[in-house]
Amino acid sequence: MPGRNATVVTEFLLTVFADHPHWGLPLFAVFLGFYLLTLLGNCGMILLIRQDRRLHTPMYFFLGHLALVDICYSSTVVPQVLGVLLERGVVLSRARCATQFFLFTFFASMDCYLLAIMAYDRCVAVCRPLLYVAIVTEKARWVLVVGAYAAGFSSALIRTVTAFTLSFCGNNQIDFIFCDLPPLLKLSCGDSYTQEVVIIVFAVLVMPTCILIILVSYAFIVLAIVQMRSSGGRAKTFSTCASHLAAVALFFGTLIFMYLRDNSGQSSEADRVVSVLYTVVSPMLNPLIYSLRNKEVKGAVLKSLSRPKVSGRS
């Protein structure tokens, strides 16, 4: 490309908020706090689901997998961000950058699929309560989850291979919190049209499809809630579904902002802030959103906390 340094890039210099070096230590403390809360909340959710038999239901089966994916999702990005903030930059090989991009894409896709599956699960529970046990069987749950993992792996592999067949030249600095697609495309040189089309097609297949499933599921749920005679039943059902919608709105809203829009002329600073929301904040908030609005989880927490006292008295 004319006017572009033709030096081939074999490694990347990852920086975070390079224009604000004085933010380093405060941001380190914030990211570390968010990461510890993410680990504590999601690990706690998994332990509660395993220990309390009242939570051995399809909804919590899917929620347990969402918590596991959120732990891996956050761990793919945040520890490296902490290192970058401390050292004011980290050099990544092309292979390491590709590995992080693959893992991020895999776990982000899994989050999309699991949120869609959970919306379908709530739809069946609210609209077909008498047939719920017959429809969402243990076999059906495993088929849905294994299918989500397989689809996530396939789409992540294809997107990663496609992205890293691009040629990168000139400046090798990525002023972003991890090796993501928008900053990588800015470093590409030569004809990248085919790769961009393939990457965008897969993004369109994953996000809008999951969003459509969620919207259709909740449209049926709203209709079912309106038709309920008991006001208590309406309130309980709406409370359970509202927590799911809050998680969906935060996660998909930020992803749509990043990937399903024209990046030309957009602020890199805004992109970095939004990326923090879907990579750091969303995995941290998910266990809080589900536990604070859910009586079963609150009961399991109280039961777990009361056990040491009971054993100590005996």
Side-chain angles (χ1 to χ4, degrees):
M1 296 179 66
R4 184 86 178 262
N5 190 339
T7 304
V8 177
V9 172
T10 57
E11 57 185 21
F12 302 95
L13 175 62
L14 190 66
T15 58
V16 180
F17 297 103
D19 298 335
H20 308 281
H22 55 285
W23 290 5
L25 287 178
L27 284 176
F28 178 87
V30 170
F31 276 90
L32 180 61
F34 282 175
Y35 184 55
L36 293 177
L37 287 173
T38 299
L39 295 180
L40 179 64
N42 286 289
C43 288
M45 183 67 73
I46 293 172
L47 290 175
L48 281 177
I49 292 170
R50 288 181 61 87
Q51 291 177 359
D52 198 307
R53 291 188 176 182
R54 292 175 298 177
L55 303 183
H56 291 181
T57 63
M59 183 177 78
Y60 293 104
F61 173 81
F62 298 130
L63 182 56
H65 281 276
L66 180 67
L68 176 62
V69 167
D70 279 342
I71 291 170
C72 299
Y73 180 50
S74 185
S75 298
T76 300
V77 175
V78 180
Q80 180 175 271
V81 174
L82 295 175
V84 172
L85 289 171
L86 278 181
E87 301 175 18
R88 296 188 179 181
V90 170
V91 175
L92 300 179
S93 66
R94 189 184 178 104
R96 184 177 170 186
C97 188
T99 300
Q100 185 182 50
F101 178 77
F102 169 80
L103 291 174
F104 163 78
T105 305
F106 172 58
F107 292 122
S109 299
M110 279 300 305
D111 252 7
C112 293
Y113 295 136
L114 286 171
L115 289 172
I117 290 171
M118 291 171 70
Y120 167 74
D121 171 71
R122 291 297 84 207
C123 179
V124 177
V126 173
C127 301
R128 296 289 185 269
L130 299 179
L131 298 175
Y132 179 67
V133 177
I135 295 174
V136 190
T137 61
E138 184 176 359
K139 181 181 178 180
R141 299 199 303 260
W142 278 109
V143 167
L144 288 171
V145 168
V146 171
Y149 278 103
F153 180 87
S154 301
S155 62
L157 182 63
I158 292 173
R159 292 187 74 207
T160 303
V161 171
T162 304
F164 282 85
T165 55
L166 290 169
S167 297
F168 302 102
C169 57
N171 182 20
N172 70 334
Q173 182 177 354
I174 299 177
D175 189 11
F176 205 66
I177 67 171
F178 67 103
C179 286
D180 199 11
L181 187 60
L184 285 173
L185 289 177
K186 292 178 182 179
L187 300 182
S188 66
C189 54
D191 184 13
S192 61
Y193 177 77
T194 303
Q195 288 90 338
E196 290 186 39
V197 168
V198 172
I199 291 167
I200 291 170
V201 165
F202 270 89
V204 168
L205 286 175
V206 173
M207 272 188 283
T209 301
C210 292
I211 292 171
L212 179 63
I213 293 171
I214 292 169
L215 291 177
V216 171
S217 297
Y218 277 96
F220 281 110
I221 288 173
V222 169
L223 290 175
I225 291 175
V226 170
Q227 294 172 2
M228 286 182 179
R229 296 180 180 179
S230 168
S231 59
R234 284 199 299 267
K236 182 180 179 181
T237 304
F238 182 79
S239 176
T240 302
C241 296
S243 61
H244 186 191
L245 281 175
V248 167
L250 175 64
F251 184 69
F252 281 103
T254 50
L255 285 182
I256 288 171
F257 178 85
M258 281 297 296
Y259 299 109
L260 296 183
R261 67 184 173 95
D262 181 11
N263 287 312
S264 60
Q266 298 293 331
S267 168
S268 296
E269 188 98 4
D271 288 351
R272 288 193 292 271
V273 172
V274 171
S275 69
V276 171
L277 292 177
Y278 65 80
T279 58
V280 181
V281 178
S282 182
M284 179 193 69
L285 289 181
N286 277 345
L288 294 176
I289 289 171
Y290 284 101
S291 60
L292 291 177
R293 298 295 301 273
N294 197 295
K295 292 181 180 179
E296 288 86 354
V297 175
K298 290 179 183 178
V301 171
L302 293 174
K303 181 180 177 181
S304 178
L305 292 175
S306 65
R307 280 176 183 172
K309 297 179 182 179
V310 172
S311 61
R313 290 175 183 174
S314 60

